[in-house]
Amino acid sequence: MAAGTGAYGRRFDSGRVCLDLVATGAASGACERLDRPARLAEWLVASRLVPLGTPLTAVDETWVARFRQLRTGIDRLMSAQLAGGSADNALERVNTLAAAAPPGLRAVRGQGGALVRAPIADPVCGELLAAVARDAVDLLTDPVARAGLRRCEGDACRRLYLDTSRGRRRRWCSSEVCGNRERVARHRRRVKAAP
């Protein structure tokens, strides 16, 4: 899972949109990514919740607050899952959001005649929250996917990701970032310990 690029810039791709949302928070070891409406709108497009070119003029501070609340709930649920605990309040909140209808999409002809996704109507915050919450419900209720849920072992990283590697031995959210930091730190310890 490499970081994606686009209008949003470097973006962590965890393998699931609900985990990508969790990665936007400061608690994941990075800086706060959803700090204003424009950043949320960029994330919605980068995460493919809305097609590129979709007008997101309704995104405001209330949307940011609601997405951050959902992010906190998903983070608590996934952390509880990894620790073998429960987070019933968070589960109730995510289930409530997942019960709403997700945004309607249709296929339209794009440039060159290829079919592309387009929203049926302007996206509504509750619909987009429902799509992310449903992804979290799908992850938590799918035993195969749930078995691949991991937290990065990087020193300063708390990101969650799905380990889809062949041997299920992946240790870092990104081999290029956290894995490289660990290898450099290990090398420095060996050099320092050498006579």
Side-chain angles (χ1 to χ4, degrees):
M1 312 285 161
T5 59
Y8 186 65
R10 281 185 66 80
R11 173 180 81 80
F12 170 68
D13 183 3
S14 66
R16 295 298 285 252
V17 71
C18 64
L19 300 180
D20 284 347
L21 177 62
V22 173
T24 64
S28 71
C31 62
E32 174 61 57
R33 298 254 184 210
L34 302 183
D35 56 354
R36 59 185 180 274
R39 296 284 298 258
L40 174 59
E42 290 171 357
W43 182 82
L44 291 170
V45 172
S47 65
R48 298 186 190 116
L49 280 170
V50 297
L52 185 64
T54 302
L56 293 169
T57 55
V59 177
D60 61 12
E61 292 294 337
T62 5
W63 284 45
V64 172
R66 292 177 71 189
F67 269 88
R68 288 169 88 172
Q69 287 172 344
L70 176 58
R71 178 182 68 197
T72 299
I74 292 171
D75 189 20
R76 286 185 182 146
L77 274 174
M78 299 303 164
S79 295
Q81 180 64 41
L82 288 170
S86 66
D88 291 337
N89 289 341
L91 180 60
E92 183 179 328
R93 174 76 175 137
V94 169
N95 280 335
T96 299
L97 290 171
L105 296 174
R106 60 193 173 117
V108 297
R109 296 272 175 211
Q111 292 180 349
L115 291 174
V116 296
R117 292 183 317 140
I120 291 173
D122 287 343
V124 176
C125 185
E127 294 174 347
L128 296 172
L129 289 167
V132 178
R134 283 181 181 201
D135 185 56
V137 168
D138 286 345
L139 172 56
L140 290 168
T141 58
D142 178 350
V144 174
R146 189 177 61 231
L149 182 63
R150 304 279 188 274
R151 185 168 304 278
C152 182
E153 293 180 24
D155 286 339
C157 187
R158 293 189 16 82
R159 286 185 172 151
L160 296 165
Y161 63 92
L162 286 185
D163 181 0
T164 56
S165 66
R166 181 179 253 168
R168 300 266 182 171
R169 294 186 307 240
R170 185 171 150 199
R171 297 178 49 208
W172 305 293
C173 62
S174 167
S175 181
E176 293 82 20
V177 179
C178 289
N180 192 47
R181 284 182 189 144
E182 177 63 26
R183 287 186 288 275
V184 168
R186 203 172 27 217
H187 173 73
R188 287 182 180 155
R189 285 190 299 268
R190 278 194 309 263
V191 168
K192 187 176 181 180

